[in-house]
Coordinates of all heavy atoms in Angstrom, one line a residue:
M1 N -0.9 -8.0 -68.2 CA -0.7 -7.0 -67.3 C -1.6 -6.7 -66.3 O -1.4 -6.2 -65.3 CB -0.3 -5.6 -68.0 CG 1.0 -5.7 -68.7 SD 1.8 -4.2 -68.2 CE 3.3 -4.4 -69.0
K2 N -2.8 -7.1 -66.5 CA -3.8 -6.7 -65.5 C -3.7 -7.6 -64.3 O -4.3 -7.4 -63.3 CB -5.3 -7.1 -66.2 CG -5.7 -5.9 -67.2 CD -7.1 -6.2 -67.7 CE -7.5 -5.0 -68.5 NZ -8.8 -5.2 -69.0
R3 N -3.1 -8.9 -64.5 CA -3.0 -9.7 -63.3 C -2.0 -9.1 -62.2 O -2.1 -9.5 -61.1 CB -2.5 -11.1 -63.7 CG -1.3 -11.2 -64.4 CD -0.9 -12.5 -64.8 NE 0.2 -12.5 -65.7 CZ 1.1 -13.4 -65.8 NH1 0.8 -14.5 -65.1 NH2 2.0 -13.3 -66.7
Y4 N -1.1 -8.3 -62.6 CA -0.2 -7.7 -61.6 C -1.0 -6.5 -60.7 O -0.5 -6.3 -59.6 CB 0.9 -7.0 -62.2 CG 1.8 -8.1 -62.8 CD1 1.9 -8.2 -64.3 CD2 2.5 -9.0 -62.0 CE1 2.8 -9.1 -64.8 CE2 3.4 -10.0 -62.7 CZ 3.5 -10.0 -64.0 OH 4.3 -11.0 -64.6
L5 N -2.0 -6.0 -61.1 CA -2.7 -5.0 -60.4 C -3.8 -5.5 -59.4 O -4.3 -4.7 -58.6 CB -3.5 -4.1 -61.4 CG -2.6 -3.3 -62.3 CD1 -3.5 -2.5 -63.4 CD2 -1.7 -2.4 -61.5
K6 N -4.0 -6.8 -59.6 CA -5.0 -7.4 -58.6 C -4.3 -7.6 -57.2 O -3.2 -8.0 -57.0 CB -5.3 -8.8 -59.0 CG -6.7 -9.0 -59.4 CD -6.9 -10.3 -59.9 CE -8.4 -10.5 -60.4 NZ -8.6 -11.8 -60.7
I7 N -5.0 -7.2 -56.1 CA -4.7 -7.4 -54.7 C -5.5 -8.6 -54.3 O -6.7 -8.6 -54.3 CB -4.8 -6.1 -54.0 CG1 -3.9 -5.0 -54.7 CG2 -4.5 -6.3 -52.5 CD1 -4.2 -3.6 -54.0
K8 N -4.8 -9.5 -53.6 CA -5.4 -10.6 -53.2 C -6.1 -10.6 -51.7 O -6.6 -11.5 -51.2 CB -4.6 -11.9 -53.2 CG -4.3 -12.3 -54.5 CD -3.6 -13.6 -54.6 CE -3.3 -14.1 -56.0 NZ -2.6 -15.3 -56.0
G9 N -5.9 -9.4 -51.1 CA -6.4 -9.2 -49.7 C -5.7 -8.1 -49.0 O -4.6 -7.7 -49.4
N10 N -6.3 -7.9 -47.9 CA -5.6 -6.7 -47.1 C -4.6 -7.3 -46.2 O -4.9 -8.2 -45.3 CB -6.7 -5.9 -46.4 CG -7.5 -5.1 -47.4 OD1 -7.2 -4.7 -48.4 ND2 -8.7 -4.8 -46.8
K11 N -3.3 -6.9 -46.3 CA -2.4 -7.4 -45.3 C -1.7 -6.1 -44.7 O -1.6 -5.2 -45.3 CB -1.3 -8.1 -46.2 CG -1.7 -9.4 -46.9 CD -0.6 -10.0 -47.5 CE -1.1 -11.3 -48.1 NZ 0.0 -11.9 -48.8
G12 N -1.7 -6.3 -43.3 CA -1.0 -5.2 -42.6 C -2.0 -4.4 -41.8 O -3.2 -4.7 -41.9
I13 N -1.6 -3.4 -41.1 CA -2.4 -2.6 -40.2 C -2.7 -1.4 -40.9 O -1.8 -0.7 -41.6 CB -1.7 -2.2 -38.9 CG1 -1.4 -3.5 -38.2 CG2 -2.5 -1.3 -38.0 CD1 -0.6 -3.3 -37.0
T14 N -4.0 -1.0 -40.9 CA -4.4 0.3 -41.6 C -4.0 1.4 -40.6 O -3.8 1.3 -39.4 CB -5.8 0.3 -41.9 OG1 -6.6 0.2 -40.8 CG2 -6.2 -0.9 -42.9
L15 N -4.1 2.5 -41.1 CA -3.7 3.9 -40.4 C -4.9 4.1 -39.4 O -4.5 4.4 -38.3 CB -3.6 5.0 -41.3 CG -3.2 6.4 -40.6 CD1 -1.9 6.1 -39.9 CD2 -3.1 7.4 -41.7
I16 N -6.1 3.7 -39.8 CA -7.3 3.9 -38.8 C -7.1 3.0 -37.6 O -7.3 3.4 -36.4 CB -8.6 3.7 -39.5 CG1 -8.8 4.8 -40.6 CG2 -9.8 3.8 -38.5 CD1 -9.9 4.6 -41.4
A17 N -6.8 1.7 -37.9 CA -6.5 0.7 -36.7 C -5.4 1.1 -35.8 O -5.5 1.0 -34.6 CB -6.4 -0.6 -37.3
L18 N -4.4 1.7 -36.4 CA -3.3 2.2 -35.5 C -3.6 3.3 -34.7 O -3.3 3.4 -33.5 CB -2.1 2.5 -36.5 CG -0.8 2.9 -35.8 CD1 -0.2 1.8 -35.0 CD2 0.2 3.4 -36.8
V19 N -4.3 4.3 -35.2 CA -4.7 5.4 -34.4 C -5.7 5.0 -33.3 O -5.6 5.4 -32.3 CB -5.5 6.5 -35.4 CG1 -6.2 7.6 -34.6 CG2 -4.4 7.2 -36.4
I20 N -6.7 4.1 -33.6 CA -7.6 3.6 -32.5 C -6.8 2.9 -31.5 O -7.1 3.1 -30.3 CB -8.6 2.7 -33.3 CG1 -9.6 3.6 -34.1 CG2 -9.4 2.0 -32.1 CD1 -10.6 2.7 -34.8
T21 N -5.9 2.1 -31.8 CA -5.0 1.5 -30.7 C -4.2 2.4 -30.0 O -4.2 2.2 -28.7 CB -4.0 0.5 -31.5 OG1 -4.8 -0.4 -32.3 CG2 -3.3 -0.4 -30.6
I22 N -3.6 3.4 -30.6 CA -3.0 4.5 -29.7 C -3.9 5.2 -28.8 O -3.5 5.4 -27.8 CB -2.2 5.3 -30.7 CG1 -1.1 4.6 -31.4 CG2 -1.7 6.6 -30.0 CD1 -0.3 5.4 -32.5
I23 N -5.2 5.5 -29.3 CA -6.0 6.3 -28.3 C -6.5 5.3 -27.2 O -6.5 5.9 -26.0 CB -7.2 6.7 -29.2 CG1 -6.9 7.8 -30.2 CG2 -8.4 7.1 -28.3 CD1 -8.0 8.0 -31.2
I24 N -6.7 4.0 -27.5 CA -7.0 3.2 -26.3 C -5.9 3.1 -25.4 O -6.1 3.1 -24.2 CB -7.5 1.7 -26.9 CG1 -8.7 1.9 -27.7 CG2 -7.6 0.7 -25.8 CD1 -9.2 0.7 -28.5
L25 N -4.6 2.9 -25.9 CA -3.5 2.9 -24.9 C -3.4 4.1 -24.1 O -3.0 4.1 -23.0 CB -2.2 2.5 -25.7 CG -2.1 1.1 -26.2 CD1 -1.0 1.1 -27.2 CD2 -2.0 0.0 -25.2
L26 N -3.6 5.3 -24.6 CA -3.5 6.6 -24.0 C -4.6 6.6 -22.9 O -4.4 7.1 -21.8 CB -3.6 7.7 -25.0 CG -2.4 8.0 -25.9 CD1 -2.7 9.0 -26.9 CD2 -1.2 8.3 -25.0
I27 N -5.8 6.1 -23.2 CA -6.9 6.1 -22.2 C -6.5 5.2 -21.0 O -6.7 5.6 -19.8 CB -8.2 5.7 -22.8 CG1 -8.7 6.9 -23.8 CG2 -9.2 5.4 -21.8 CD1 -10.0 6.4 -24.7
L28 N -6.0 4.0 -21.4 CA -5.6 3.1 -20.3 C -4.4 3.7 -19.5 O -4.4 3.4 -18.2 CB -5.2 1.8 -20.9 CG -6.4 0.9 -21.5 CD1 -5.9 -0.4 -22.2 CD2 -7.4 0.6 -20.4
A29 N -3.5 4.3 -20.0 CA -2.4 4.9 -19.3 C -2.9 6.0 -18.4 O -2.4 6.1 -17.2 CB -1.3 5.4 -20.4
G30 N -3.9 6.8 -18.9 CA -4.4 7.9 -18.0 C -5.1 7.2 -16.8 O -5.0 7.8 -15.7
I31 N -6.0 6.2 -17.0 CA -6.5 5.6 -15.8 C -5.5 5.0 -14.9 O -5.8 5.2 -13.7 CB -7.5 4.5 -16.4 CG1 -8.8 5.1 -17.2 CG2 -8.2 3.6 -15.2 CD1 -9.5 4.2 -18.0
S32 N -4.6 4.3 -15.3 CA -3.6 3.8 -14.5 C -2.8 4.8 -13.7 O -2.6 4.7 -12.4 CB -2.5 2.9 -15.4 OG -3.2 1.9 -16.0
I33 N -2.4 5.9 -14.4 CA -1.8 7.0 -13.6 C -2.6 7.7 -12.6 O -2.2 8.0 -11.5 CB -1.1 8.1 -14.7 CG1 0.0 7.4 -15.4 CG2 -0.6 9.3 -13.9 CD1 0.4 8.2 -16.5
S34 N -3.8 7.9 -12.9 CA -4.7 8.6 -11.9 C -5.1 7.7 -10.7 O -5.3 8.1 -9.7 CB -6.1 9.0 -12.6 OG -6.8 7.8 -13.0
S35 N -5.0 6.3 -11.0 CA -5.2 5.3 -9.8 C -4.1 5.4 -9.0 O -4.3 5.0 -7.7 CB -5.8 4.0 -10.3 OG -4.6 3.4 -10.9
L36 N -2.9 5.6 -9.4 CA -1.7 5.5 -8.5 C -1.4 6.7 -7.8 O -0.9 6.7 -6.7 CB -0.5 5.3 -9.5 CG -0.4 3.9 -10.1 CD1 0.8 3.7 -11.0 CD2 -0.3 2.8 -9.0
T37 N -1.9 7.9 -8.2 CA -1.6 9.1 -7.6 C -2.9 9.6 -6.9 O -3.9 9.1 -7.1 CB -1.2 10.3 -8.6 OG1 -2.2 10.4 -9.6 CG2 0.2 9.7 -9.4
G38 N -2.7 10.7 -6.1 CA -3.9 11.2 -5.4 C -4.3 10.3 -4.3 O -3.6 10.0 -3.3
S39 N -5.5 9.9 -4.2 CA -6.1 9.0 -3.2 C -6.1 7.6 -3.7 O -6.9 6.8 -3.3 CB -7.5 9.4 -2.8 OG -8.3 9.1 -4.1
G40 N -5.1 7.2 -4.5 CA -5.0 6.0 -5.0 C -4.1 5.0 -4.3 O -4.1 5.0 -3.1
L41 N -3.3 4.3 -5.0 CA -2.5 3.3 -4.4 C -1.5 3.6 -3.4 O -1.3 3.2 -2.3 CB -1.8 2.4 -5.6 CG -1.1 1.2 -5.2 CD1 -2.0 0.2 -4.6 CD2 -0.4 0.6 -6.3
F42 N -0.8 4.7 -3.7 CA 0.4 5.2 -2.9 C -0.2 5.7 -1.5 O 0.4 5.5 -0.5 CB 1.1 6.3 -3.5 CG 2.0 5.9 -4.7 CD1 2.0 6.5 -5.9 CD2 2.8 4.7 -4.6 CE1 2.8 6.1 -7.0 CE2 3.6 4.3 -5.6 CZ 3.4 5.0 -6.8
E43 N -1.3 6.5 -1.6 CA -1.9 7.0 -0.5 C -2.4 5.9 0.5 O -2.3 5.9 1.7 CB -3.1 7.9 -0.8 CG -3.6 8.9 0.3 CD -2.5 9.9 0.7 OE1 -1.7 10.3 -0.2 OE2 -2.5 10.2 1.8
R44 N -3.1 4.8 -0.1 CA -3.6 3.8 0.8 C -2.4 2.9 1.3 O -2.4 2.5 2.4 CB -4.4 2.8 -0.2 CG -5.8 3.3 -0.4 CD -6.6 2.4 -1.1 NE -6.3 2.6 -2.6 CZ -6.7 1.8 -3.5 NH1 -7.5 0.9 -3.2 NH2 -6.2 2.0 -4.7
A45 N -1.3 2.9 0.6 CA -0.1 2.1 1.2 C 0.5 2.9 2.4 O 0.9 2.3 3.3 CB 0.9 2.0 0.1
K46 N 0.5 4.2 2.2 CA 1.0 5.0 3.2 C 0.1 4.9 4.5 O 0.6 4.8 5.7 CB 1.1 6.5 2.8 CG 1.9 7.4 3.7 CD 1.9 8.9 3.2 CE 2.6 8.9 1.8 NZ 2.6 10.3 1.4
E47 N -1.1 4.9 4.4 CA -2.0 4.7 5.5 C -1.9 3.4 6.2 O -1.9 3.4 7.3 CB -3.6 5.0 5.0 CG -3.8 6.4 4.7 CD -5.2 6.5 4.1 OE1 -6.0 5.4 4.0 OE2 -5.6 7.6 3.6
A48 N -1.8 2.3 5.3 CA -1.6 1.0 6.0 C -0.3 1.0 6.6 O -0.3 0.2 7.7 CB -1.6 -0.1 4.8
S49 N 0.7 1.6 6.2 CA 2.0 1.6 6.9 C 1.9 2.2 8.3 O 2.5 1.8 9.3 CB 3.2 2.3 6.1 OG 4.3 2.4 6.8
E50 N 1.2 3.4 8.3 CA 1.0 4.1 9.6 C 0.1 3.2 10.6 O 0.4 3.2 11.8 CB 0.3 5.4 9.4 CG 1.2 6.4 8.7 CD 0.5 7.7 8.2 OE1 -0.6 7.8 8.5 OE2 1.2 8.5 7.5
K51 N -1.0 2.6 10.2 CA -1.7 1.7 11.0 C -1.0 0.5 11.5 O -1.2 0.1 12.6 CB -2.9 1.2 10.1 CG -4.0 2.4 10.0 CD -5.3 1.8 9.2 CE -6.3 2.8 8.9 NZ -7.4 2.2 8.2
S52 N -0.1 0.0 10.6 CA 0.7 -1.2 11.1 C 1.7 -0.6 12.3 O 1.8 -1.4 13.2 CB 1.5 -1.6 9.9 OG 2.5 -2.7 10.4
K53 N 2.3 0.5 12.1 CA 3.2 1.0 13.2 C 2.4 1.2 14.5 O 2.9 0.9 15.5 CB 3.8 2.3 12.7 CG 5.0 2.0 11.6 CD 5.6 3.4 11.2 CE 6.6 3.2 10.2 NZ 7.1 4.5 9.7
Q54 N 1.3 1.8 14.3 CA 0.4 2.0 15.5 C 0.1 0.7 16.2 O 0.1 0.6 17.4 CB -0.8 2.8 15.1 CG -1.7 3.2 16.3 CD -2.9 3.9 15.9 OE1 -3.3 4.2 14.7 NE2 -3.8 4.3 16.8
A55 N -0.4 -0.2 15.4 CA -0.7 -1.5 16.0 C 0.6 -2.2 16.6 O 0.4 -2.9 17.8 CB -1.2 -2.5 14.9
Q56 N 1.8 -2.0 16.1 CA 3.0 -2.6 16.6 C 3.2 -2.0 17.9 O 3.5 -2.6 19.1 CB 4.0 -2.3 15.7 CG 5.4 -2.9 16.3 CD 6.5 -2.7 15.3 OE1 6.4 -2.0 14.3 NE2 7.8 -3.0 15.8
Y57 N 3.0 -0.6 18.2 CA 3.3 0.1 19.4 C 2.3 -0.4 20.5 O 2.6 -0.6 21.6 CB 3.2 1.7 19.2 CG 4.4 2.3 18.4 CD1 4.2 3.1 17.5 CD2 5.7 1.6 18.5 CE1 5.2 3.8 16.6 CE2 6.7 2.1 17.6 CZ 6.5 3.2 16.8 OH 7.4 3.7 16.0
E58 N 1.0 -0.5 20.1 CA -0.1 -0.9 21.0 C 0.2 -2.3 21.5 O 0.1 -2.6 22.7 CB -1.4 -0.8 20.3 CG -2.0 0.5 20.2 CD -3.3 0.5 19.4 OE1 -3.8 -0.6 19.0 OE2 -3.7 1.7 19.0
E59 N 0.8 -3.2 20.6 CA 1.1 -4.6 21.0 C 2.3 -4.5 22.0 O 2.3 -5.3 22.9 CB 1.5 -5.5 19.8 CG 1.6 -6.9 20.0 CD 0.5 -7.6 20.6 OE1 -0.6 -7.1 20.3 OE2 0.5 -8.5 21.3
E60 N 3.2 -3.8 21.7 CA 4.5 -3.6 22.6 C 3.9 -3.1 24.0 O 4.5 -3.6 25.0 CB 5.5 -2.7 22.1 CG 6.2 -3.3 20.9 CD 7.3 -2.3 20.4 OE1 7.5 -1.2 20.9 OE2 7.8 -2.7 19.3
L61 N 3.1 -2.1 24.0 CA 2.6 -1.7 25.4 C 1.8 -2.7 26.0 O 1.9 -3.0 27.3 CB 1.7 -0.4 25.1 CG 1.1 0.2 26.3 CD1 2.1 0.7 27.2 CD2 0.2 1.3 25.8
N62 N 1.0 -3.5 25.3 CA 0.2 -4.6 26.0 C 1.2 -5.7 26.5 O 1.0 -6.3 27.7 CB -0.8 -5.2 25.1 CG -1.9 -4.3 24.8 OD1 -2.3 -3.5 25.6 ND2 -2.6 -4.4 23.6
L63 N 2.3 -5.9 25.8 CA 3.3 -6.9 26.3 C 4.0 -6.4 27.6 O 4.2 -7.2 28.5 CB 4.1 -7.1 25.2 CG 5.4 -8.2 25.5 CD1 4.6 -9.6 25.7 CD2 6.3 -8.3 24.3
V64 N 4.3 -5.1 27.6 CA 4.9 -4.6 28.8 C 4.0 -4.6 30.0 O 4.4 -5.0 31.1 CB 5.4 -3.1 28.6 CG1 5.7 -2.4 29.8 CG2 6.5 -3.0 27.5
I65 N 2.6 -4.4 29.8 CA 1.7 -4.4 30.9 C 1.5 -5.8 31.4 O 1.5 -6.1 32.6 CB 0.3 -3.8 30.5 CG1 0.5 -2.3 30.2 CG2 -0.7 -4.1 31.5 CD1 -0.6 -1.6 29.7
A66 N 1.5 -6.7 30.5 CA 1.3 -8.2 30.9 C 2.5 -8.6 31.6 O 2.4 -9.4 32.5 CB 1.0 -9.0 29.6
T67 N 3.7 -8.3 31.2 CA 4.9 -8.6 31.7 C 4.9 -8.1 33.2 O 5.3 -8.8 34.1 CB 6.2 -8.2 31.1 OG1 6.1 -8.6 29.8 CG2 7.5 -8.6 31.6
M68 N 4.6 -6.9 33.3 CA 4.6 -6.2 34.8 C 3.5 -6.9 35.6 O 3.9 -7.2 36.9 CB 4.1 -4.8 34.7 CG 5.3 -4.0 34.0 SD 4.8 -2.2 33.9 CE 6.1 -1.5 33.0
K69 N 2.5 -7.3 35.1 CA 1.5 -8.0 35.8 C 2.0 -9.5 36.3 O 1.6 -9.8 37.5 CB 0.1 -8.2 35.2 CG -0.7 -7.0 35.1 CD -2.0 -7.2 34.2 CE -2.8 -6.0 34.1 NZ -4.1 -6.2 33.4
T70 N 2.6 -10.1 35.4 CA 3.0 -11.5 35.8 C 4.3 -11.5 36.7 O 4.4 -12.4 37.5 CB 3.3 -12.3 34.5 OG1 4.2 -11.6 33.8 CG2 2.1 -12.5 33.6
D71 N 5.0 -10.4 36.6 CA 6.3 -10.5 37.4 C 6.1 -9.7 38.7 O 6.9 -9.6 39.5 CB 7.4 -9.6 36.6 CG 7.8 -10.5 35.5 OD1 7.7 -11.7 35.4 OD2 8.6 -9.9 34.6
S72 N 4.8 -9.2 38.9 CA 4.4 -8.5 40.1 C 5.3 -7.3 40.3 O 5.7 -7.0 41.4 CB 4.4 -9.4 41.3 OG 3.6 -10.4 41.2
I73 N 5.7 -6.6 39.3 CA 6.4 -5.4 39.4 C 5.5 -4.3 40.1 O 5.9 -3.6 41.0 CB 7.0 -5.0 38.1 CG1 8.1 -6.0 37.7 CG2 7.6 -3.6 38.2 CD1 8.7 -5.7 36.3
I74 N 4.3 -4.1 39.5 CA 3.4 -3.2 40.0 C 2.4 -4.0 40.9 O 1.6 -4.7 40.3 CB 2.7 -2.6 38.8 CG1 3.6 -1.8 37.9 CG2 1.6 -1.6 39.3 CD1 3.0 -1.0 36.7
K75 N 2.5 -3.7 42.2 CA 1.6 -4.5 43.1 C 0.4 -3.7 43.4 O -0.6 -4.1 42.9 CB 2.4 -4.7 44.3 CG 3.6 -5.7 44.2 CD 4.4 -5.9 45.4 CE 5.6 -6.8 45.1 NZ 6.4 -6.9 46.2
N76 N 0.5 -2.5 44.0 CA -0.7 -1.8 44.4 C -0.8 -0.5 43.6 O -1.5 0.4 44.0 CB -0.8 -1.6 45.9 CG -1.0 -2.8 46.7 OD1 -1.8 -3.8 46.0 ND2 -0.3 -3.0 47.9
E77 N 0.2 -0.3 42.7 CA 0.2 1.0 42.0 C -0.8 1.0 40.9 O -1.3 -0.1 40.5 CB 1.6 1.2 41.3 CG 2.8 1.2 42.3 CD 4.1 1.4 41.6 OE1 4.1 1.8 40.3 OE2 5.1 1.1 42.2
E78 N -1.2 2.1 40.6 CA -2.2 2.3 39.4 C -1.4 2.1 38.1 O -0.3 2.4 37.9 CB -2.8 3.6 39.5 CG -3.7 4.0 40.6 CD -4.3 5.3 40.5 OE1 -4.4 5.8 39.4 OE2 -4.7 5.9 41.6
F79 N -2.2 1.7 37.1 CA -1.5 1.6 35.8 C -1.8 2.8 35.0 O -2.8 3.2 34.5 CB -2.3 0.4 35.0 CG -1.8 -0.9 35.4 CD1 -2.5 -1.6 36.3 CD2 -0.6 -1.5 34.8 CE1 -2.1 -2.9 36.6 CE2 -0.2 -2.7 35.2 CZ -0.9 -3.4 36.1
N80 N -0.8 3.8 35.1 CA -0.8 4.9 34.4 C 0.5 5.0 33.6 O 1.4 4.1 33.8 CB -1.1 6.2 35.2 CG 0.0 6.3 36.2 OD1 1.1 5.9 36.2 ND2 -0.4 7.0 37.4
M81 N 0.6 5.9 32.6 CA 1.7 5.9 31.8 C 3.1 6.2 32.5 O 4.0 5.7 32.2 CB 1.6 7.0 30.7 CG 0.7 6.5 29.6 SD 0.9 4.9 28.8 CE 2.4 5.3 28.0
E82 N 3.0 7.0 33.5 CA 4.3 7.3 34.4 C 4.8 6.0 35.0 O 6.0 5.8 35.0 CB 4.0 8.3 35.3 CG 3.7 9.8 34.7 CD 3.3 10.7 35.8 OE1 3.3 10.4 37.0 OE2 2.9 11.8 35.4
N83 N 4.0 5.3 35.6 CA 4.4 4.0 36.2 C 4.9 2.9 35.2 O 5.8 2.3 35.5 CB 3.2 3.5 37.1 CG 2.9 4.3 38.4 OD1 3.8 5.0 38.8 ND2 1.8 4.2 38.9
I84 N 4.1 3.0 34.1 CA 4.5 1.9 33.1 C 6.0 2.3 32.6 O 6.7 1.5 32.3 CB 3.4 1.9 32.0 CG1 2.2 1.3 32.6 CG2 3.9 1.1 30.8 CD1 1.1 1.4 31.6
I85 N 6.1 3.6 32.3 CA 7.4 4.1 31.7 C 8.4 3.8 32.8 O 9.7 3.2 32.4 CB 7.4 5.5 31.1 CG1 6.5 5.5 30.0 CG2 8.8 6.0 30.9 CD1 6.2 7.0 29.6
K86 N 8.3 4.2 34.0 CA 9.2 3.9 35.0 C 9.5 2.4 35.2 O 10.8 2.2 35.3 CB 8.7 4.5 36.3 CG 9.7 4.4 37.5 CD 9.2 5.0 38.7 CE 8.0 4.0 39.1 NZ 7.5 4.3 40.5
N87 N 8.6 1.7 35.2 CA 8.9 0.1 35.4 C 9.4 -0.4 34.2 O 10.1 -1.5 34.2 CB 7.7 -0.5 36.0 CG 7.4 -0.1 37.3 OD1 8.1 -0.1 38.3 ND2 6.2 0.3 37.5
Y88 N 9.1 0.1 33.0 CA 9.5 -0.5 31.8 C 11.0 -0.3 31.7 O 11.8 -1.2 31.1 CB 8.8 0.1 30.6 CG 9.4 -0.4 29.2 CD1 9.0 -1.6 28.9 CD2 10.0 0.5 28.4 CE1 9.4 -2.0 27.6 CE2 10.5 0.1 27.1 CZ 10.2 -1.2 26.7 OH 10.6 -1.7 25.5
Q89 N 11.5 0.8 32.2 CA 13.0 1.0 32.0 C 13.8 0.1 33.0 O 14.9 -0.2 32.8 CB 13.3 2.6 32.5 CG 12.8 3.5 31.3 CD 12.9 4.9 31.8 OE1 13.1 5.2 33.0 NE2 12.6 5.8 30.9
N90 N 13.0 -0.4 34.0 CA 13.7 -1.3 34.9 C 13.8 -2.8 34.4 O 14.5 -3.7 34.9 CB 13.0 -1.3 36.3 CG 13.1 -0.1 37.0 OD1 14.1 0.7 36.8 ND2 12.2 0.4 37.8
I91 N 12.9 -3.1 33.5 CA 12.9 -4.5 32.9 C 14.1 -4.7 32.0 O 14.6 -4.0 31.3 CB 11.7 -4.6 32.0 CG1 10.4 -4.7 33.0 CG2 11.6 -6.1 31.4 CD1 9.0 -4.7 32.2

């Protein structure tokens, strides 16, 4: 009967290893959530979107000015916003 009581090795996960694994996963989840919120990923994506829109508007304005210069729409007029808007509507 003594041979049935013998254990040939540890099989399976111990409770301590399971608790340590859960703690590590909670720490990693906390780090991930904190990097996504606040000044993290979402904030940087919003800033990049705003900068992209601003660059697009500047490029459109430069294109309008270049078109006016090449088409000689503005001959002796000054380049100010009123003249640009007025002539842009005529294009």
